[in-house]
């Protein structure tokens, strides 16, 4: 473990004793991005464990994002089961170089459910709900929305997964959805544009990213390499 990252373990111990069981504390060491989590407390929150890969936000930071910031706070993460979490990450640097980060991810699903139910009660008595009405259901829907980060002016929705393949798949699905397209409706131009974004975000720093990208998009690995070569020449 990187010595500077290791020095944060007492702080992880402290935070675990202060925060409730619905807040996860994860310590990342970027020496090995494919197995970056070196310590995690309350892992039930995200469903990850020691040895899980870096997140998409972590990869962005490794690739130079937020170089002028010490932390990113107030953004939304999604657990492996797609549960919404309120997150904050402190960037760990060594001689100016980003070597890891410490993250706190708090489960806000119960609060969001309560907010939804209160709106329904208000609406049933003739009040105006704070959000547009949603149809009643056995399971209260829990939307995942980006939260504006006052400290950075950024919008982040981070994916917390236990595998690189799942992380790549989620990113591609999100990028396709942002274009209003299903994965099987992507043309060559859309695929190249998605690979361009993945490359800009540093996702190909992860081992197996090309294979995962090919599987998710339903194309060959040589095609991904060809598209990647094209965008890197731009």
């Amino acid at each position: 473990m990187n010595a500077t990252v290791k020095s944060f373990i007492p702080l992880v111990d402290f935070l675990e004793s202060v925060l409730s069981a619905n807040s996860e504390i994860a310590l990342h060491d970027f020496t090995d991005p494919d197995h970056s989590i070196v310590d995690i407390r309350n892992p039930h929150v995200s469903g990850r464990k020691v040895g899980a890969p870096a997140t998409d936000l972590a990869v962005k930071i490794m690739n130079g994002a937020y170089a002028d910031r010490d932390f990113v706070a107030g953004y939304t993460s999604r657990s492996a089961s797609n549960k919404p979490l309120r997150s904050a990450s402190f960037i760990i640097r060594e001689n100016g170089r980003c070597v890891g980060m410490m993250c706190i991810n708090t489960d806000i699903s119960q609060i969001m459910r309560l907010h939804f139910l209160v709106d329904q009660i208000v609406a049933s008595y003739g009040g105006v709900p704070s959000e547009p009405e949603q149809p009643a259901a056995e399971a209260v829907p829990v939307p995942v929305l980006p939260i504006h980060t006052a400290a950075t002016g950024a919008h982040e929705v981070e994916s917390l997964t236990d595998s690189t393949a799942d992380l790549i798949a989620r990113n591609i699905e999100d990028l396709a959805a942002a274009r209003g397209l299903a994965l099987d409706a992507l043309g060559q131009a859309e695929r190249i544009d998605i690979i361009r974004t993945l490359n800009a975000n540093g996702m190909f720093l992860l081992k197996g990213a090309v294979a995962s990208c090919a599987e998710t998009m339903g194309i060959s690995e040589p095609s991904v390499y060809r598209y990647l070569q094209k965008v890197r020449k731009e």
Side-chain angles (χ1 to χ4, degrees):
M1 189 188 307
N2 175 279
T4 301
V5 172
K6 189 174 182 179
S7 71
F8 279 77
I9 290 179
L11 182 55
V12 173
D13 293 335
F14 168 71
L15 290 172
E16 182 185 23
S17 71
V18 172
L19 300 175
S20 65
N22 71 330
S23 287
E24 171 190 86
I25 307 103
L27 185 64
H28 290 262
D29 182 344
F30 292 159
T31 302
D32 181 4
D34 294 279
H35 306 91
S36 74
I37 292 185
V38 292
D39 195 356
I40 187 166
R41 312 296 171 86
N42 298 325
H44 61 276
V45 172
S46 73
R48 298 174 298 167
K49 58 184 181 295
V50 169
T55 66
D56 38 12
L57 174 61
V59 173
K60 288 180 187 177
I61 290 172
M62 291 166 59
N63 203 43
Y66 304 110
D68 59 340
R69 302 286 178 177
D70 293 324
F71 63 89
V72 189
Y75 62 91
T76 297
S77 292
R78 295 176 297 177
S79 71
S81 61
N82 214 34
K83 182 169 54 181
L85 310 172
R86 178 85 175 217
S87 299
S89 294
F90 181 84
I91 302 168
I92 301 172
R93 292 189 172 90
E94 184 179 80
N95 299 320
R97 182 173 62 92
C98 181
V99 295
M101 67 183 191
M102 184 177 63
C103 309
I104 300 174
N105 306 300
T106 301
D107 183 355
I108 58 171
S109 58
Q110 294 299 326
I111 294 174
M112 295 180 75
R113 287 189 178 94
L114 179 60
H115 182 273
F116 175 83
L117 292 172
V118 168
D119 275 353
Q120 299 312 296
I121 293 170
V122 170
S124 70
Y125 283 92
V128 179
S130 58
E131 300 288 344
E133 286 192 54
Q134 301 183 42
E138 286 294 321
V140 178
V142 181
V144 178
L145 300 173
I147 298 174
H148 183 69
T149 59
T152 64
H155 291 270
E156 291 290 352
V157 180
E158 182 182 25
S159 292
L160 310 183
T161 67
D162 57 4
S163 76
T164 298
D166 188 40
L167 181 64
I168 296 295
R170 281 192 179 200
N171 272 259
I172 292 173
E173 289 164 2
D174 288 346
L175 289 168
R179 291 160 173 77
L181 296 171
L183 290 178
D184 57 6
L186 294 173
Q188 184 181 71
E190 289 83 16
R191 293 191 190 105
I192 291 173
D193 192 36
I194 286 174
I195 288 174
R196 181 182 293 110
T197 301
L198 293 175
N199 182 61
N201 289 339
M203 299 303 294
F204 291 103
L205 294 173
L206 299 172
K207 294 176 183 176
V210 168
S212 299
C213 185
E215 182 178 358
T216 302
M217 287 187 170
I219 59 178
S220 67
E221 290 185 35
S223 292
V224 176
Y225 278 115
R226 187 168 62 254
Y227 297 155
L228 190 55
Q229 186 179 37
K230 175 181 173 63
V231 301
R232 284 176 173 172
K233 286 181 178 179
E234 294 175 345

